[in-house]
Amino acid sequence: MLTLSMNETYETRSRWADKIAFFGLFIAVLLIACFIVIWRSAIVLSEPIELNCACLSVCTPTGAGWLGGKQWKYEQNTFTLDSFFDPSPGSVNTLVSCRYLLAATRTTPEVLFNEKASAVDGAEIVKTGKIEIGRPGSSFAKDSQNKSILSIDWAHIKGSKTPFDTFFGVAQLPNNRRLDIEVYQDTGDTKLAEDIFKSVTESLKFTDNQLLEAGGKIVAGIKGKGLDSFLTSTTNKQDQDRESFFLIKDAKGRTIGFTMDMLGSHFAERPQNDAAIEPVPEAQLNILAWSFYYIHGRHDQEQITFFKSGNNFNEFVWKSETSGPAGKSGVEIVLDKDGIMTVKESDLQTKEKDYQIGPAAIPEVLGKFLFSQMLDSNQKEIFVDIIGADGKITPALVSRIEASPSPSSQNRSSGADVAQEEAAYVFGMKFLDGRGFSQQVYLDDQRRISKMLLKQESTYTLERTDAENILGEFPEQGSYILQRKDKILEQNQLQEGSEQQLPTTSY
């Protein structure tokens, strides 16, 4: 009997111990959950993350569990800044995304909100609003540097079939720029998502981009003069073509390739004053440019481009074909009179994208005229958008560098120093797409490019030369391309007003 009683007492104590342990565990889990809620609710923001080419900065959530959000990244004519909450590997449930679009098409916020909601089945817009930038007492309050009063239109989008909350804000910026701020979370904590959105938007700092405005004025100056004025002899005022030939050398001074380009205005017949202007852009394009570059190596690389433009390049057609280790690809760019630039990529699958370019945008084939216009305008520094033959828009800082007086030859330390001493004008270009690429351009007293120093993954030098030197260095390639150029121009004269086909560069 004593043994039985002791067993019952032990079992009773054991059950109470289990209950106490379970209750203690429940309290601990509850406290941890409350701590996590409080910790997540206490939103900690990073230091301002600047996008220098845009003259803006924004803060993103940071701290334990938050990843990313350290620097802007460039991709497809857009800068992105993402930060996401990952409490455990592979379980992301909250995302903060900022997108700065360089050439956003003109679309109302309502259209953007509807597009965002329709992308997910069952999603609906439950609330919209506006945050005034420049409202007295707000963090956007106008200061001596900020001359623009902007606003952020926002929408709260909620899912019904799949529970999620999205707060999506849109700020229309000058020069066809746009900033999108989005907070997405799928935990059902609407209040948290809204607080994060408010915190990020209120951290936004934006000032007028004076250098971009200056770049727009320089581009407008070129358009106002007309490309003809840059292609006309100062002595006889007759149209003439401009041909340029450059040898490409690597960092060790070895010749590895060449470039050839031609720009002229007398190849296409201009419509007479009393003639009817056809609605087809080709009929109004009297400026013609042609270019070719070739890099010799283990895998040869080459690109041929064909550019037709109006005198003020408010409309143009630009076709290119590139061959290299990755194969062959083609791009066609068409800019219409409304400023819509359509980029068609022909690869395995044809892709088409539209962009609304800004007033500071200029095709790289016409980029050389920036320097002459800056000299005429006495402008030392500008921001511009360089449009590449592949449709990529790259913000660039263009600065005039004062040419140094020629010292004695003993003090010359490098080839770049020698070029600068011998040049009449020197300009620097920094490409602001995050790759760190830059170049220095040296002009002679006639404002022609005499030399370029390119700093990319490696350093390359482009030295001005003539057709004979190219034929001497690359006899087979050079002679073929020279013949091909003449054929292209002949075809253009015969096919004016018809669809121009880009010739193949397969040899």
Side-chain angles (χ1 to χ4, degrees):
M1 294 293 294
L2 180 59
T3 302
L4 179 61
S5 176
M6 291 180 64
N7 288 339
E8 290 178 348
T9 302
Y10 175 78
E11 290 177 0
T12 301
R13 289 178 179 177
S14 178
R15 285 195 297 271
W16 273 105
D18 290 342
K19 290 179 179 180
I20 292 172
F22 177 78
F23 182 73
L25 179 62
F26 174 76
I27 294 297
V29 171
L30 185 62
L31 289 174
I32 291 173
C34 291
F35 173 76
I36 291 176
V37 170
I38 294 173
W39 169 65
R40 289 187 62 196
S41 300
I43 303 167
V44 179
L45 295 180
S46 66
E47 292 295 318
I49 303 170
E50 295 185 359
L51 183 58
N52 292 328
C53 66
C55 290
L56 67 78
S57 67
V58 70
C59 303
T60 59
T62 187
W66 285 96
L67 303 175
K70 295 182 180 180
Q71 64 180 7
W72 294 85
K73 296 181 180 179
Y74 176 93
E75 184 178 2
Q76 295 184 341
N77 299 337
T78 300
F79 287 91
T80 61
L81 176 67
D82 295 331
S83 179
F84 51 93
F85 184 72
D86 187 14
S88 60
S91 59
V92 174
N93 53 42
T94 306
L95 171 68
V96 177
S97 178
C98 302
R99 301 175 70 244
Y100 179 79
L101 288 74
L102 292 171
T105 54
R106 295 192 182 107
T107 308
T108 64
E110 291 73 22
V111 171
L112 295 172
F113 298 157
N114 289 328
E115 289 177 352
K116 180 69 68 173
S118 62
V120 180
D121 186 27
E124 60 178 350
I125 300 172
V126 296
K127 189 177 181 181
T128 61
K130 185 187 293 284
I131 299 174
E132 294 295 330
I133 300 178
R135 174 172 49 85
S138 75
S139 60
F140 297 112
K142 184 178 177 182
D143 57 30
S144 59
Q145 291 182 310
N146 193 352
K147 299 179 181 179
S148 298
I149 297 178
L150 305 172
S151 62
I152 297 178
D153 293 279
W154 61 269
H156 175 202
I157 301 171
K158 197 171 184 66
S160 56
K161 296 183 178 180
T162 303
F164 73 89
D165 289 277
T166 292
F167 285 84
F168 181 53
V170 177
Q172 302 288 352
L173 304 176
N175 300 296
N176 289 348
R177 266 49 170 174
R178 194 180 83 214
L179 178 68
D180 296 347
I181 299 177
E182 180 178 359
V183 175
Y184 169 89
Q185 65 86 35
D186 60 6
T187 63
D189 194 341
T190 302
K191 180 67 167 56
L192 175 62
E194 183 177 7
D195 289 345
I196 294 175
F197 179 76
K198 287 182 178 180
S199 297
V200 173
T201 54
E202 289 176 0
S203 74
L204 176 64
K205 296 259 189 304
F206 173 79
T207 57
D208 284 338
N209 196 331
Q210 300 292 338
L211 291 180
L212 188 60
E213 296 289 341
K217 291 179 180 179
I218 292 296
V219 174
I222 299 173
K223 291 182 176 182
K225 290 180 178 179
L227 295 175
D228 273 345
S229 67
F230 295 89
L231 301 172
T232 302
S233 170
T234 57
T235 56
N236 56 26
K237 299 297 182 182
Q238 295 297 313
D239 288 338
Q240 60 180 11
D241 61 306
R242 293 286 184 90
E243 290 187 319
S244 300
F245 304 89
F246 290 88
L247 288 175
I248 304 174
K249 298 183 178 182
D250 63 13
K252 296 182 179 180
R254 298 172 299 191
T255 300
I256 60 172
F258 65 91
T259 70
M260 305 164 50
D261 65 79
M262 179 213 63
L263 181 63
S265 61
H266 64 284
F267 304 104
E269 183 179 352
R270 302 189 186 101
Q272 301 298 322
N273 293 333
D274 57 348
I277 301 296
E278 297 180 27
V280 183
E282 310 282 329
Q284 306 176 43
L285 306 184
N286 61 291
I287 301 296
L288 174 65
W290 176 90
S291 69
F292 177 82
Y293 85 75
Y294 170 74
I295 301 293
H296 177 68
R298 184 176 180 182
H299 300 286
D300 292 353
Q301 301 179 43
E302 59 188 49
Q303 182 187 71
I304 185 171
T305 70
F306 186 78
F307 178 88
K308 294 181 69 176
S309 165
N311 199 32
N312 58 11
F313 59 96
N314 284 330
E315 297 177 67
F316 62 74
V317 177
W318 195 5
K319 302 179 182 180
S320 66
E321 187 176 276
T322 304
S323 300
K328 182 180 294 185
S329 62
V331 178
E332 179 184 74
I333 305 174
V334 178
L335 178 68
D336 66 20
K337 61 183 179 180
D338 296 320
I340 301 294
M341 186 178 77
T342 301
V343 180
K344 299 179 182 178
E345 300 179 29
S346 299
D347 202 349
L348 296 177
Q349 186 175 6
T350 301
K351 305 173 187 176
E352 184 173 322
K353 296 180 182 178
D354 289 339
Y355 301 96
Q356 184 92 42
I357 65 172
I362 186 170
E364 64 179 349
V365 69
L366 307 177
K368 64 184 76 175
F369 301 131
L370 289 171
F371 311 128
S372 182
Q373 185 63 25
M374 287 178 69
L375 290 171
D376 289 343
S377 305
N378 198 29
Q379 185 71 41
K380 303 293 185 183
E381 198 170 47
I382 60 172
F383 275 148
V384 290
D385 290 338
I386 303 296
I387 304 172
D390 57 356
K392 178 180 177 181
I393 300 172
T394 305
L397 174 64
V398 186
S399 307
R400 182 178 174 185
I401 303 171
E402 293 300 329
S404 305
S406 299
S408 64
S409 58
Q410 306 178 17
N411 298 326
R412 297 179 178 178
S413 57
S414 68
D417 294 335
V418 173
Q420 181 168 338
E421 292 158 13
E422 295 177 348
Y425 311 100
V426 184
F427 286 85
M429 295 185 70
K430 293 182 179 179
F431 301 102
L432 307 177
D433 56 0
R435 297 179 298 171
F437 289 5
S438 65
Q439 68 181 40
Q440 279 196 347
V441 182
Y442 306 91
L443 309 182
D444 60 21
D445 55 3
Q446 298 181 46
R447 299 184 178 182
R448 298 179 307 171
I449 297 176
S450 57
K451 186 174 183 177
M452 287 183 285
L453 186 66
L454 311 182
K455 294 184 179 179
Q456 301 178 356
E457 294 91 350
S458 185
T459 301
Y460 303 93
T461 303
L462 276 68
E463 296 180 350
R464 192 177 189 90
T465 186
D466 52 32
E468 287 71 21
N469 280 338
I470 289 181
L471 289 171
E473 293 280 353
F474 305 94
E476 183 177 351
Q477 286 279 12
S479 59
Y480 189 91
I481 293 303
L482 286 173
Q483 294 172 15
R484 175 53 59 89
K485 182 199 73 171
D486 295 335
K487 291 180 180 179
I488 292 173
L489 300 182
E490 291 173 3
Q491 289 175 1
N492 177 69
Q493 288 178 317
L494 293 173
Q495 300 178 11
E496 181 62 26
S498 63
E499 181 67 20
Q500 178 71 39
Q501 297 296 322
L502 183 70
T504 179
T505 56
S506 299
Y507 303 127

